[in-house]
mmCIF file of all heavy atoms in Angstrom:
data_model
loop_
_atom_site.group_PDB
_atom_site.id
_atom_site.type_symbol
_atom_site.label_atom_id
_atom_site.label_comp_id
_atom_site.label_asym_id
_atom_site.label_seq_id
_atom_site.Cartn_x
_atom_site.Cartn_y
_atom_site.Cartn_z
ATOM 1 N N PHE A 29 3.935 -12.907 -13.673
ATOM 2 C CA PHE A 29 4.276 -13.910 -14.670
ATOM 3 C C PHE A 29 3.410 -15.305 -14.472
ATOM 4 O O PHE A 29 3.855 -16.395 -14.813
ATOM 5 C CB PHE A 29 5.743 -14.269 -14.771
ATOM 6 C CG PHE A 29 6.497 -13.180 -15.372
ATOM 7 C CD1 PHE A 29 7.342 -12.367 -14.658
ATOM 8 C CD2 PHE A 29 6.373 -12.952 -16.754
ATOM 9 C CE1 PHE A 29 8.206 -11.414 -15.214
ATOM 10 C CE2 PHE A 29 7.142 -11.980 -17.367
ATOM 11 C CZ PHE A 29 8.010 -11.161 -16.540
ATOM 12 N N ALA A 30 2.309 -15.060 -13.924
ATOM 13 C CA ALA A 30 1.407 -16.374 -13.598
ATOM 14 C C ALA A 30 1.092 -16.992 -14.861
ATOM 15 O O ALA A 30 1.068 -18.261 -14.906
ATOM 16 C CB ALA A 30 0.160 -15.856 -12.814
ATOM 17 N N GLY A 31 0.810 -16.394 -16.034
ATOM 18 C CA GLY A 31 0.557 -16.992 -17.275
ATOM 19 C C GLY A 31 1.753 -17.811 -17.780
ATOM 20 O O GLY A 31 1.546 -18.894 -18.206
ATOM 21 N N ALA A 32 2.860 -17.219 -17.667
ATOM 22 C CA ALA A 32 4.083 -17.907 -18.196
ATOM 23 C C ALA A 32 4.352 -19.141 -17.296
ATOM 24 O O ALA A 32 4.708 -20.229 -17.824
ATOM 25 C CB ALA A 32 5.325 -16.982 -18.189
ATOM 26 N N LYS A 33 4.255 -18.910 -16.003
ATOM 27 C CA LYS A 33 4.493 -20.046 -14.967
ATOM 28 C C LYS A 33 3.432 -21.280 -15.292
ATOM 29 O O LYS A 33 3.700 -22.374 -15.232
ATOM 30 C CB LYS A 33 4.400 -19.567 -13.674
ATOM 31 C CG LYS A 33 5.558 -18.774 -13.334
ATOM 32 C CD LYS A 33 5.393 -18.086 -11.898
ATOM 33 C CE LYS A 33 6.647 -17.144 -11.678
ATOM 34 N NZ LYS A 33 6.504 -16.451 -10.306
ATOM 35 N N ASP A 34 2.223 -20.781 -15.510
ATOM 36 C CA ASP A 34 1.107 -21.838 -15.862
ATOM 37 C C ASP A 34 1.478 -22.568 -17.175
ATOM 38 O O ASP A 34 1.328 -23.750 -17.157
ATOM 39 C CB ASP A 34 -0.196 -21.142 -15.944
ATOM 40 C CG ASP A 34 -1.331 -22.091 -16.012
ATOM 41 O OD1 ASP A 34 -1.367 -23.065 -15.316
ATOM 42 O OD2 ASP A 34 -2.275 -21.953 -16.928
ATOM 43 N N PHE A 35 1.897 -21.865 -18.153
ATOM 44 C CA PHE A 35 2.268 -22.356 -19.439
ATOM 45 C C PHE A 35 3.501 -23.412 -19.220
ATOM 46 O O PHE A 35 3.428 -24.550 -19.738
ATOM 47 C CB PHE A 35 2.720 -21.353 -20.462
ATOM 48 C CG PHE A 35 3.185 -22.000 -21.760
ATOM 49 C CD1 PHE A 35 2.474 -22.361 -22.747
ATOM 50 C CD2 PHE A 35 4.602 -22.254 -21.824
ATOM 51 C CE1 PHE A 35 2.974 -22.792 -23.905
ATOM 52 C CE2 PHE A 35 5.178 -22.755 -22.979
ATOM 53 C CZ PHE A 35 4.267 -23.029 -24.142
ATOM 54 N N ASP A 36 4.428 -22.976 -18.419
ATOM 55 C CA ASP A 36 5.550 -23.871 -18.112
ATOM 56 C C ASP A 36 5.145 -25.198 -17.475
ATOM 57 O O ASP A 36 5.628 -26.190 -17.830
ATOM 58 C CB ASP A 36 6.556 -23.117 -17.196
ATOM 59 C CG ASP A 36 7.296 -22.002 -17.918
ATOM 60 O OD1 ASP A 36 7.084 -21.830 -19.229
ATOM 61 O OD2 ASP A 36 8.140 -21.328 -17.244
ATOM 62 N N LYS A 37 4.282 -25.057 -16.451
ATOM 63 C CA LYS A 37 3.796 -26.198 -15.766
ATOM 64 C C LYS A 37 2.989 -27.131 -16.684
ATOM 65 O O LYS A 37 3.350 -28.279 -16.638
ATOM 66 C CB LYS A 37 2.902 -25.804 -14.551
ATOM 67 C CG LYS A 37 2.558 -26.949 -13.668
ATOM 68 C CD LYS A 37 1.760 -26.325 -12.471
ATOM 69 C CE LYS A 37 1.318 -27.465 -11.492
ATOM 70 N NZ LYS A 37 0.589 -26.874 -10.447
ATOM 71 N N LYS A 38 2.225 -26.653 -17.517
ATOM 72 C CA LYS A 38 1.458 -27.525 -18.400
ATOM 73 C C LYS A 38 2.340 -28.111 -19.523
ATOM 74 O O LYS A 38 1.991 -29.248 -20.089
ATOM 75 C CB LYS A 38 0.366 -26.759 -19.089
ATOM 76 C CG LYS A 38 -0.768 -26.361 -18.090
ATOM 77 C CD LYS A 38 -1.912 -25.533 -18.817
ATOM 78 C CE LYS A 38 -2.872 -25.093 -17.849
ATOM 79 N NZ LYS A 38 -3.956 -24.260 -18.437
ATOM 80 N N ASN A 39 3.485 -27.508 -19.878
ATOM 81 C CA ASN A 39 4.217 -27.986 -21.008
ATOM 82 C C ASN A 39 5.580 -28.438 -20.605
ATOM 83 O O ASN A 39 6.448 -28.562 -21.637
ATOM 84 C CB ASN A 39 4.392 -26.833 -21.980
ATOM 85 C CG ASN A 39 2.979 -26.550 -22.536
ATOM 86 O OD1 ASN A 39 2.482 -27.270 -23.438
ATOM 87 N ND2 ASN A 39 2.279 -25.405 -22.190
ATOM 88 N N ASN A 40 5.796 -28.663 -19.420
ATOM 89 C CA ASN A 40 7.128 -29.100 -18.894
ATOM 90 C C ASN A 40 8.256 -28.188 -19.482
ATOM 91 O O ASN A 40 9.219 -28.599 -20.062
ATOM 92 C CB ASN A 40 7.399 -30.560 -19.329
ATOM 93 C CG ASN A 40 8.626 -31.219 -18.588
ATOM 94 O OD1 ASN A 40 8.797 -30.783 -17.434
ATOM 95 N ND2 ASN A 40 9.137 -32.073 -19.188
ATOM 96 N N TYR A 41 8.131 -26.911 -19.324
ATOM 97 C CA TYR A 41 9.087 -25.889 -19.824
ATOM 98 C C TYR A 41 9.454 -24.973 -18.622
ATOM 99 O O TYR A 41 8.906 -24.976 -17.561
ATOM 100 C CB TYR A 41 8.333 -25.084 -20.919
ATOM 101 C CG TYR A 41 9.299 -24.257 -21.795
ATOM 102 C CD1 TYR A 41 10.150 -24.854 -22.644
ATOM 103 C CD2 TYR A 41 9.326 -22.814 -21.580
ATOM 104 C CE1 TYR A 41 11.023 -23.988 -23.383
ATOM 105 C CE2 TYR A 41 10.210 -22.137 -22.212
ATOM 106 C CZ TYR A 41 11.012 -22.636 -23.170
ATOM 107 O OH TYR A 41 11.832 -21.905 -23.912
ATOM 108 N N LYS A 42 10.533 -24.242 -18.790
ATOM 109 C CA LYS A 42 10.894 -23.243 -17.859
ATOM 110 C C LYS A 42 11.303 -21.984 -18.584
ATOM 111 O O LYS A 42 12.420 -21.815 -19.139
ATOM 112 C CB LYS A 42 11.973 -23.662 -16.926
ATOM 113 C CG LYS A 42 12.252 -22.661 -15.903
ATOM 114 C CD LYS A 42 13.091 -23.170 -14.731
ATOM 115 C CE LYS A 42 13.049 -22.038 -13.672
ATOM 116 N NZ LYS A 42 14.406 -21.635 -13.263
ATOM 117 N N THR A 43 10.373 -20.897 -18.497
ATOM 118 C CA THR A 43 10.717 -19.634 -18.943
ATOM 119 C C THR A 43 11.649 -19.054 -18.006
ATOM 120 O O THR A 43 11.376 -18.882 -16.780
ATOM 121 C CB THR A 43 9.428 -18.800 -19.138
ATOM 122 O OG1 THR A 43 8.549 -19.515 -19.988
ATOM 123 C CG2 THR A 43 9.723 -17.425 -19.723
ATOM 124 N N THR A 44 12.850 -18.450 -18.542
ATOM 125 C CA THR A 44 13.756 -17.820 -17.595
ATOM 126 C C THR A 44 13.995 -16.439 -18.084
ATOM 127 O O THR A 44 13.513 -15.482 -17.581
ATOM 128 C CB THR A 44 15.154 -18.643 -17.550
ATOM 129 O OG1 THR A 44 14.739 -19.955 -17.125
ATOM 130 C CG2 THR A 44 16.049 -18.004 -16.524
ATOM 131 N N SER A 45 14.843 -16.259 -19.148
ATOM 132 C CA SER A 45 14.995 -14.898 -19.680
ATOM 133 C C SER A 45 14.021 -14.486 -20.683
ATOM 134 O O SER A 45 13.509 -15.313 -21.434
ATOM 135 C CB SER A 45 16.452 -14.770 -20.155
ATOM 136 O OG SER A 45 16.730 -15.671 -21.176
ATOM 137 N N MET A 46 13.795 -13.235 -20.771
ATOM 138 C CA MET A 46 12.800 -12.703 -21.608
ATOM 139 C C MET A 46 13.100 -11.341 -22.196
ATOM 140 O O MET A 46 13.565 -10.448 -21.286
ATOM 141 C CB MET A 46 11.411 -12.689 -20.926
ATOM 142 C CG MET A 46 10.256 -12.299 -21.780
ATOM 143 S SD MET A 46 8.596 -12.258 -21.009
ATOM 144 C CE MET A 46 8.509 -14.028 -20.518
ATOM 145 N N LEU A 47 12.977 -11.029 -23.412
ATOM 146 C CA LEU A 47 13.159 -9.754 -23.996
ATOM 147 C C LEU A 47 11.970 -9.389 -24.881
ATOM 148 O O LEU A 47 11.686 -10.165 -25.702
ATOM 149 C CB LEU A 47 14.467 -9.806 -24.827
ATOM 150 C CG LEU A 47 14.759 -8.486 -25.616
ATOM 151 C CD1 LEU A 47 15.109 -7.333 -24.580
ATOM 152 C CD2 LEU A 47 16.032 -8.700 -26.451
ATOM 153 N N VAL A 48 11.285 -8.308 -24.611
ATOM 154 C CA VAL A 48 10.008 -7.931 -25.281
ATOM 155 C C VAL A 48 10.380 -6.488 -25.804
ATOM 156 O O VAL A 48 10.621 -5.560 -25.039
ATOM 157 C CB VAL A 48 8.846 -7.909 -24.398
ATOM 158 C CG1 VAL A 48 7.621 -7.696 -25.093
ATOM 159 C CG2 VAL A 48 8.773 -9.300 -23.507
ATOM 160 N N ILE A 49 10.064 -6.320 -27.095
ATOM 161 C CA ILE A 49 10.236 -5.041 -27.715
ATOM 162 C C ILE A 49 9.072 -4.582 -28.601
ATOM 163 O O ILE A 49 8.634 -5.400 -29.439
ATOM 164 C CB ILE A 49 11.529 -5.110 -28.555
ATOM 165 C CG1 ILE A 49 12.777 -5.395 -27.647
ATOM 166 C CG2 ILE A 49 11.735 -3.817 -29.445
ATOM 167 C CD1 ILE A 49 14.072 -5.532 -28.387
ATOM 168 N N PRO A 50 8.570 -3.424 -28.431
ATOM 169 C CA PRO A 50 7.509 -2.901 -29.247
ATOM 170 C C PRO A 50 7.966 -2.707 -30.687
ATOM 171 O O PRO A 50 9.114 -2.265 -30.865
ATOM 172 C CB PRO A 50 6.953 -1.682 -28.565
ATOM 173 C CG PRO A 50 8.155 -1.160 -27.772
ATOM 174 C CD PRO A 50 8.991 -2.354 -27.488
ATOM 175 N N MET A 51 7.067 -2.844 -31.645
ATOM 176 C CA MET A 51 7.336 -2.511 -33.033
ATOM 177 C C MET A 51 6.522 -1.371 -33.469
ATOM 178 O O MET A 51 5.273 -1.412 -33.439
ATOM 179 C CB MET A 51 7.003 -3.744 -33.953
ATOM 180 C CG MET A 51 7.941 -4.973 -33.626
ATOM 181 S SD MET A 51 7.351 -6.385 -34.537
ATOM 182 C CE MET A 51 7.213 -5.951 -36.166
ATOM 183 N N ASN A 52 7.151 -0.342 -33.879
ATOM 184 C CA ASN A 52 6.375 0.984 -34.210
ATOM 185 C C ASN A 52 6.636 1.328 -35.661
ATOM 186 O O ASN A 52 7.763 1.206 -36.183
ATOM 187 C CB ASN A 52 6.868 2.112 -33.327
ATOM 188 C CG ASN A 52 6.490 1.996 -31.907
ATOM 189 O OD1 ASN A 52 5.378 1.762 -31.559
ATOM 190 N ND2 ASN A 52 7.524 1.990 -31.033
ATOM 191 N N ASN A 53 5.552 1.628 -36.380
ATOM 192 C CA ASN A 53 5.724 2.074 -37.825
ATOM 193 C C ASN A 53 6.279 3.441 -37.941
ATOM 194 O O ASN A 53 6.656 4.117 -36.871
ATOM 195 C CB ASN A 53 4.474 1.955 -38.588
ATOM 196 C CG ASN A 53 3.320 2.847 -38.152
ATOM 197 O OD1 ASN A 53 3.693 3.784 -37.481
ATOM 198 N ND2 ASN A 53 2.133 2.567 -38.479
ATOM 199 N N ARG A 54 6.369 4.018 -39.091
ATOM 200 C CA ARG A 54 6.946 5.363 -39.316
ATOM 201 C C ARG A 54 6.229 6.421 -38.659
ATOM 202 O O ARG A 54 6.856 7.476 -38.344
ATOM 203 C CB ARG A 54 7.107 5.619 -40.804
ATOM 204 C CG ARG A 54 8.101 4.736 -41.472
ATOM 205 C CD ARG A 54 8.120 4.958 -42.998
ATOM 206 N NE ARG A 54 8.985 3.903 -43.446
ATOM 207 C CZ ARG A 54 9.153 3.639 -44.731
ATOM 208 N NH1 ARG A 54 8.513 4.297 -45.688
ATOM 209 N NH2 ARG A 54 9.969 2.773 -45.229
ATOM 210 N N ASP A 55 4.940 6.206 -38.339
ATOM 211 C CA ASP A 55 4.021 7.221 -37.739
ATOM 212 C C ASP A 55 4.185 7.037 -36.200
ATOM 213 O O ASP A 55 3.373 7.808 -35.524
ATOM 214 C CB ASP A 55 2.653 7.124 -38.202
ATOM 215 C CG ASP A 55 2.536 7.326 -39.680
ATOM 216 O OD1 ASP A 55 3.328 8.277 -40.164
ATOM 217 O OD2 ASP A 55 1.753 6.747 -40.387
ATOM 218 N N GLY A 56 5.047 6.096 -35.765
ATOM 219 C CA GLY A 56 5.113 5.934 -34.275
ATOM 220 C C GLY A 56 3.970 4.954 -33.720
ATOM 221 O O GLY A 56 3.878 4.896 -32.547
ATOM 222 N N GLU A 57 3.146 4.485 -34.564
ATOM 223 C CA GLU A 57 1.980 3.611 -34.071
ATOM 224 C C GLU A 57 2.487 2.246 -33.861
ATOM 225 O O GLU A 57 3.178 1.688 -34.662
ATOM 226 C CB GLU A 57 0.925 3.595 -35.184
ATOM 227 C CG GLU A 57 0.424 4.902 -35.551
ATOM 228 C CD GLU A 57 -0.485 4.845 -36.809
ATOM 229 O OE1 GLU A 57 -0.250 4.182 -37.695
ATOM 230 O OE2 GLU A 57 -1.636 5.474 -36.772
ATOM 231 N N LEU A 58 2.055 1.620 -32.847
ATOM 232 C CA LEU A 58 2.442 0.223 -32.471
ATOM 233 C C LEU A 58 1.734 -0.669 -33.318
ATOM 234 O O LEU A 58 0.537 -0.608 -33.634
ATOM 235 C CB LEU A 58 1.922 -0.015 -30.944
ATOM 236 C CG LEU A 58 2.330 -1.458 -30.507
ATOM 237 C CD1 LEU A 58 3.831 -1.504 -30.125
ATOM 238 C CD2 LEU A 58 1.458 -1.760 -29.295
ATOM 239 N N VAL A 59 2.490 -1.514 -34.072
ATOM 240 C CA VAL A 59 2.021 -2.466 -35.042
ATOM 241 C C VAL A 59 2.293 -3.906 -34.522
ATOM 242 O O VAL A 59 1.848 -4.838 -35.092
ATOM 243 C CB VAL A 59 2.502 -2.228 -36.432
ATOM 244 C CG1 VAL A 59 2.069 -0.951 -36.981
ATOM 245 C CG2 VAL A 59 4.010 -2.314 -36.416
ATOM 246 N N GLY A 60 3.023 -4.144 -33.441
ATOM 247 C CA GLY A 60 3.287 -5.494 -32.999
ATOM 248 C C GLY A 60 4.284 -5.446 -31.941
ATOM 249 O O GLY A 60 4.804 -4.381 -31.498
ATOM 250 N N VAL A 61 4.682 -6.660 -31.429
ATOM 251 C CA VAL A 61 5.616 -6.811 -30.283
ATOM 252 C C VAL A 61 6.440 -7.991 -30.604
ATOM 253 O O VAL A 61 5.925 -8.974 -31.083
ATOM 254 C CB VAL A 61 4.897 -6.953 -28.923
ATOM 255 C CG1 VAL A 61 5.841 -7.317 -27.925
ATOM 256 C CG2 VAL A 61 4.149 -5.771 -28.548
ATOM 257 N N ILE A 62 7.845 -7.962 -30.346
ATOM 258 C CA ILE A 62 8.621 -9.088 -30.446
ATOM 259 C C ILE A 62 8.887 -9.530 -29.119
ATOM 260 O O ILE A 62 9.333 -8.759 -28.222
ATOM 261 C CB ILE A 62 9.920 -8.677 -31.226
ATOM 262 C CG1 ILE A 62 9.732 -8.242 -32.608
ATOM 263 C CG2 ILE A 62 10.871 -9.954 -31.204
ATOM 264 C CD1 ILE A 62 10.924 -7.768 -33.318
ATOM 265 N N GLN A 63 8.702 -10.903 -28.927
ATOM 266 C CA GLN A 63 8.972 -11.454 -27.559
ATOM 267 C C GLN A 63 9.936 -12.622 -27.775
ATOM 268 O O GLN A 63 9.647 -13.560 -28.446
ATOM 269 C CB GLN A 63 7.790 -11.902 -26.904
ATOM 270 C CG GLN A 63 8.169 -12.512 -25.430
ATOM 271 C CD GLN A 63 6.774 -12.914 -24.794
ATOM 272 O OE1 GLN A 63 5.821 -13.510 -25.429
ATOM 273 N NE2 GLN A 63 6.739 -12.820 -23.495
ATOM 274 N N LEU A 64 11.140 -12.473 -27.162
ATOM 275 C CA LEU A 64 12.073 -13.590 -27.170
ATOM 276 C C LEU A 64 12.220 -14.189 -25.834
ATOM 277 O O LEU A 64 12.222 -13.543 -24.826
ATOM 278 C CB LEU A 64 13.402 -12.976 -27.615
ATOM 279 C CG LEU A 64 13.506 -12.285 -28.978
ATOM 280 C CD1 LEU A 64 14.936 -11.764 -29.218
ATOM 281 C CD2 LEU A 64 13.154 -13.159 -30.121
ATOM 282 N N ILE A 65 12.303 -15.502 -25.809
ATOM 283 C CA ILE A 65 12.295 -16.185 -24.476
ATOM 284 C C ILE A 65 13.500 -17.203 -24.457
ATOM 285 O O ILE A 65 13.713 -17.879 -25.442
ATOM 286 C CB ILE A 65 10.995 -17.004 -24.208
ATOM 287 C CG1 ILE A 65 9.812 -15.986 -24.184
ATOM 288 C CG2 ILE A 65 11.061 -17.854 -23.029
ATOM 289 C CD1 ILE A 65 8.508 -16.707 -24.171
ATOM 290 N N ASN A 66 14.287 -17.150 -23.408
ATOM 291 C CA ASN A 66 15.332 -18.031 -23.091
ATOM 292 C C ASN A 66 16.454 -17.944 -24.146
ATOM 293 O O ASN A 66 16.583 -18.828 -25.051
ATOM 294 C CB ASN A 66 14.864 -19.459 -23.034
ATOM 295 C CG ASN A 66 14.015 -19.683 -21.705
ATOM 296 O OD1 ASN A 66 13.993 -18.833 -20.814
ATOM 297 N ND2 ASN A 66 13.409 -20.876 -21.610
ATOM 298 N N LYS A 67 17.365 -16.998 -23.981
ATOM 299 C CA LYS A 67 18.568 -16.966 -24.713
ATOM 300 C C LYS A 67 19.383 -18.060 -24.319
ATOM 301 O O LYS A 67 19.678 -18.288 -23.094
ATOM 302 C CB LYS A 67 19.298 -15.596 -24.550
ATOM 303 C CG LYS A 67 20.602 -15.495 -25.279
ATOM 304 C CD LYS A 67 21.224 -14.161 -25.164
ATOM 305 C CE LYS A 67 22.571 -14.243 -25.858
ATOM 306 N NZ LYS A 67 23.237 -12.930 -25.714
ATOM 307 N N ILE A 68 19.940 -18.786 -25.188
ATOM 308 C CA ILE A 68 20.650 -19.996 -24.964
ATOM 309 C C ILE A 68 22.131 -19.917 -25.502
ATOM 310 O O ILE A 68 22.395 -19.539 -26.637
ATOM 311 C CB ILE A 68 20.097 -21.275 -25.574
ATOM 312 C CG1 ILE A 68 18.782 -21.490 -24.906
ATOM 313 C CG2 ILE A 68 20.919 -22.482 -25.263
ATOM 314 C CD1 ILE A 68 17.959 -22.682 -25.378
ATOM 315 N N LYS A 69 23.147 -20.203 -24.659
ATOM 316 C CA LYS A 69 24.569 -20.165 -25.013
ATOM 317 C C LYS A 69 25.152 -21.393 -24.340
ATOM 318 O O LYS A 69 25.088 -21.526 -23.173
ATOM 319 C CB LYS A 69 25.304 -18.885 -24.576
ATOM 320 C CG LYS A 69 26.765 -18.933 -25.017
ATOM 321 C CD LYS A 69 27.287 -17.610 -24.619
ATOM 322 C CE LYS A 69 28.755 -17.591 -25.118
ATOM 323 N NZ LYS A 69 29.353 -16.199 -24.804
ATOM 324 N N ASN A 70 25.794 -22.208 -25.219
ATOM 325 C CA ASN A 70 26.387 -23.531 -24.687
ATOM 326 C C ASN A 70 25.428 -24.282 -23.890
ATOM 327 O O ASN A 70 25.782 -24.755 -22.703
ATOM 328 C CB ASN A 70 27.701 -23.181 -23.835
ATOM 329 C CG ASN A 70 28.723 -22.460 -24.589
ATOM 330 O OD1 ASN A 70 28.873 -22.744 -25.867
ATOM 331 N ND2 ASN A 70 29.448 -21.622 -23.957
ATOM 332 N N ASP A 71 24.299 -24.552 -24.336
ATOM 333 C CA ASP A 71 23.178 -25.290 -23.731
ATOM 334 C C ASP A 71 22.688 -24.827 -22.347
ATOM 335 O O ASP A 71 22.108 -25.508 -21.523
ATOM 336 C CB ASP A 71 23.578 -26.796 -23.599
ATOM 337 C CG ASP A 71 23.807 -27.501 -24.891
ATOM 338 O OD1 ASP A 71 23.118 -27.141 -25.881
ATOM 339 O OD2 ASP A 71 24.666 -28.274 -25.040
ATOM 340 N N GLU A 72 22.860 -23.543 -22.145
ATOM 341 C CA GLU A 72 22.516 -22.913 -20.855
ATOM 342 C C GLU A 72 21.733 -21.605 -21.143
ATOM 343 O O GLU A 72 22.119 -20.884 -21.952
ATOM 344 C CB GLU A 72 23.880 -22.496 -19.980
ATOM 345 C CG GLU A 72 23.438 -21.954 -18.708
ATOM 346 C CD GLU A 72 24.756 -21.484 -17.866
ATOM 347 O OE1 GLU A 72 25.752 -22.174 -18.142
ATOM 348 O OE2 GLU A 72 24.627 -20.602 -17.081
ATOM 349 N N VAL A 73 20.635 -21.500 -20.453
ATOM 350 C CA VAL A 73 19.779 -20.204 -20.628
ATOM 351 C C VAL A 73 20.509 -19.085 -19.904
ATOM 352 O O VAL A 73 20.899 -19.158 -18.723
ATOM 353 C CB VAL A 73 18.407 -20.424 -19.993
ATOM 354 C CG1 VAL A 73 17.633 -19.091 -20.050
ATOM 355 C CG2 VAL A 73 17.745 -21.540 -20.702
ATOM 356 N N ILE A 74 20.781 -18.056 -20.584
ATOM 357 C CA ILE A 74 21.452 -16.861 -20.142
ATOM 358 C C ILE A 74 20.531 -15.525 -20.282
ATOM 359 O O ILE A 74 19.516 -15.620 -20.927
ATOM 360 C CB ILE A 74 22.858 -16.639 -20.676
ATOM 361 C CG1 ILE A 74 22.727 -16.385 -22.226
ATOM 362 C CG2 ILE A 74 23.762 -17.822 -20.427
ATOM 363 C CD1 ILE A 74 24.020 -16.008 -22.942
#
């Protein structure tokens, strides 16, 4: 996660939790990826 850590350092951010899911069309071909970063509940990253 060197890239994420470098981004965090440059932008005063902290990437903690991450969920990444591929998006496949009806033919099973990859057409994209969904990436979610830092789920927050009650002002806390979970």
Side-chain angles (χ1 to χ4, degrees):
F29 286 109
K33 292 173 183 178
D34 186 47
F35 175 88
D36 288 356
K37 187 175 181 179
K38 289 178 182 176
N39 294 284
N40 195 30
Y41 192 74
K42 184 165 188 232
T43 302
T44 303
S45 59
M46 185 180 294
L47 178 60
V48 188
I49 297 176
M51 297 170 52
N52 297 301
N53 65 16
R54 292 179 187 167
D55 297 324
E57 299 169 322
L58 182 72
V59 295
V61 174
I62 297 174
Q63 181 180 33
L64 304 176
I65 297 173
N66 289 352
K67 179 179 178 179
I68 297 176
K69 183 176 182 179
N70 299 326
D71 295 328
E72 181 180 335
V73 176
I74 62 172

